[in-house]
Amino acid sequence: MRAVVFGITLVILIVMLVSMIEYFVPLSAKFEFNAECRKAQLKMENEGGLSMSEQNALRARLMSYGFINVVISAQQNVKYGEALNLNVQADYVYSRVVGLYIRQNASVAMGYDKTTIARKVVN
């Protein structure tokens, strides 16, 4: 009897562990997405825009984290004191458990849309 109770408890704990891990995978991806976009936005503030090479570098960094369909919209050259907008949209695809022994790809749309002022930061 104890072996049956132990087995059922073990299965329940494993299911809870897997579901918690499955829940935190897209949250971790969103954190990385926001961090990379914030770095690009800070660079935009200092340089008065985001050049095409920087946009391509941001796209490559996001794709290295597993994002697909990355669309970046940003001004390339504005005067200091003017508003800058960075809009980044991407999809994150990951494998998740949908049934016993069944995994299926799930897609989560993520976005970053922030407006700031172009300024020169002196350290």
Side-chain angles (χ1 to χ4, degrees):
M1 185 65 169
R2 283 186 168 179
V4 173
V5 171
F6 178 75
I8 292 172
T9 305
L10 185 63
V11 168
I12 290 172
L13 287 174
I14 290 173
V15 167
M16 288 176 53
L17 177 68
V18 168
S19 65
M20 285 176 30
I21 291 171
E22 297 270 332
Y23 179 74
F24 285 109
V25 167
L27 287 178
S28 173
K30 178 65 174 169
F31 177 76
E32 295 295 334
F33 180 79
N34 284 345
E36 289 297 330
C37 291
R38 179 68 181 142
K39 287 179 197 174
Q41 185 179 20
L42 290 173
K43 192 169 197 93
M44 277 179 75
E45 287 180 13
N46 276 336
E47 297 177 1
L50 197 64
S51 66
M52 286 303 285
S53 62
E54 288 297 325
Q55 288 183 28
N56 291 334
L58 174 60
R59 183 176 290 110
R61 286 192 309 268
L62 290 175
M63 291 177 82
S64 73
Y65 285 118
F67 292 97
I68 60 171
N69 303 328
V70 179
V71 178
I72 301 171
S73 172
Q75 290 96 346
Q76 292 184 4
N77 191 11
V78 300
K79 295 178 183 175
Y80 289 114
E82 292 183 9
L84 287 169
N85 181 273
L86 177 62
N87 187 330
V88 182
Q89 303 294 323
D91 295 324
Y92 183 70
V93 178
Y94 66 102
S95 179
R96 66 182 286 203
V97 175
V98 293
L100 192 60
Y101 305 116
I102 301 171
R103 295 190 73 80
Q104 188 177 26
N105 283 342
S107 178
V108 178
M110 296 188 185
Y112 184 89
D113 187 19
K114 302 286 180 183
T115 301
T116 187
I117 303 297
R119 60 195 171 102
K120 190 69 171 174
V121 178
V122 179
N123 288 335

